[in-house]
Amino acid sequence: MDADLLMTTRAFRRRLDLTRPVARHDLLACLEIAVHAPSGTNRQPWRFLVVQDVDLRREIAAYYRKGFAAYLSTRTPRADQLGDLASGGRLAATMHEVPALVLCCSIGRPPSDPLRLAGFYGSVYPAVWNFLLALHDRGLGSTITTAHLAYEREVADLLGIPFDEVTQVALLPVAHLLPGSGAAGPRRSAAEVTQWDRWST
Ligand SMILES: Cc1cc2nc3c(=O)[nH]c(=O)nc-3n(C[C@H](O)[C@H](O)[C@H](O)COP(=O)(O)O)c2cc1C
């Protein structure tokens, strides 16, 4: 297991090379790794829509920016979240320049039953994470984003996605990575967030 790859696969926003195209064969190779993720009863509900067209990217990015601004307006961030939100703002500002926007979708609409809801999203996110790891392993990078989902219907109409049958789960802006530190992300240690046998508050 490559623990270093697992621990240094970050939300890449500032290190995205906006000037270099991303080849389809690289994207497909990483998506091939994505589709080897597990899903409930091996349903493989994921579908991917790769958007490279300049005009479509511009329109998606405009919805993303509106969604991100709305999200920011509802939040009072902690001090340790300010850096993340600043780099989030930069990604929002440059989203249309990211060479490939990979829209990760799931067949069906989110169920209301908690058990089924867990299965719905839990059957797509492992593929998302596999994809991010595979990208990083090849010198590419992305960030899981969801802010455009405030405009999911508008983006569905734009891209011809049948809204009643397909749910957009995450928008992954993919680019080659510029040189950078490759440090692990700030995380609480496993010991801090793990309890044994009984929950104590
Ligand atoms: C479900 C989910 C939704 C997210 N949505 C956004 C988003 O809309 N925009 C964004 O810039 N980052 C988004 N992120 C990225 C997180 O901010 C990032 O993974 C987290 O801050 C850790 O970053 P790090 O690995 O670089 O430390 C999202 C992450 C997850 C898991």
Side-chain angles (χ1 to χ4, degrees):
M1 183 176 67
D2 187 344
D4 192 56
L5 179 71
L6 292 169
M7 293 171 76
T8 62
T9 298
R10 305 287 306 278
F12 293 114
R13 302 187 185 98
R14 296 180 195 275
R15 282 183 59 197
L16 301 179
D17 185 343
L18 304 177
T19 65
R20 187 174 165 197
V22 174
R24 276 192 183 190
H25 66 83
D26 279 329
L27 289 167
L28 260 186
C30 294
L31 288 170
E32 196 56 45
I33 292 172
V35 301
H36 281 77
S39 58
T41 57
N42 199 24
R43 281 185 296 114
Q44 305 171 55
W46 42 68
R47 297 292 183 273
F48 304 97
L49 179 54
V50 181
V51 180
Q52 292 182 299
D53 177 86
V54 174
D55 295 329
L56 290 174
R57 281 190 285 142
R58 191 172 299 123
E59 291 198 59
I60 295 168
Y63 286 123
Y64 181 83
R65 267 192 286 283
K66 282 205 280 183
F68 190 74
Y71 168 75
L72 280 188
S73 70
T74 63
R75 297 207 44 179
T76 312
R78 296 191 315 258
D80 64 306
Q81 294 173 322
L82 290 174
D84 199 56
L85 289 177
S87 85
R90 181 180 138 86
L91 176 63
T94 54
M95 183 66 95
H96 59 291
E97 296 179 61
V98 183
L101 300 182
V102 178
L103 190 57
C104 181
C105 302
S106 182
I107 298 295
R109 294 302 306 172
S112 50
D113 170 66
L115 175 64
R116 289 177 180 275
L117 187 62
F120 185 83
Y121 286 105
S123 290
V124 175
Y125 265 103
V128 169
W129 186 237
N130 265 16
F131 182 58
L132 297 184
L133 291 172
L135 288 172
H136 190 197
D137 198 39
R138 287 179 168 241
L140 294 143
S142 188
T143 295
I144 297 172
T145 81
T146 47
H148 89 281
L149 293 178
Y151 297 93
E152 184 191 355
R153 191 178 280 279
E154 287 81 353
V155 171
D157 289 346
L158 175 71
L159 302 175
I161 299 169
F163 182 86
D164 294 336
E165 293 155 36
V166 175
T167 300
Q168 296 165 49
V169 173
L171 179 67
L172 309 171
V174 177
H176 285 274
L177 286 178
L178 297 165
S181 78
R187 301 290 190 267
R188 295 165 73 184
S189 73
E192 262 184 279
V193 297
T194 305
Q195 306 192 28
W196 307 92
D197 291 332
R198 294 273 188 275
W199 188 272
S200 70
T201 46

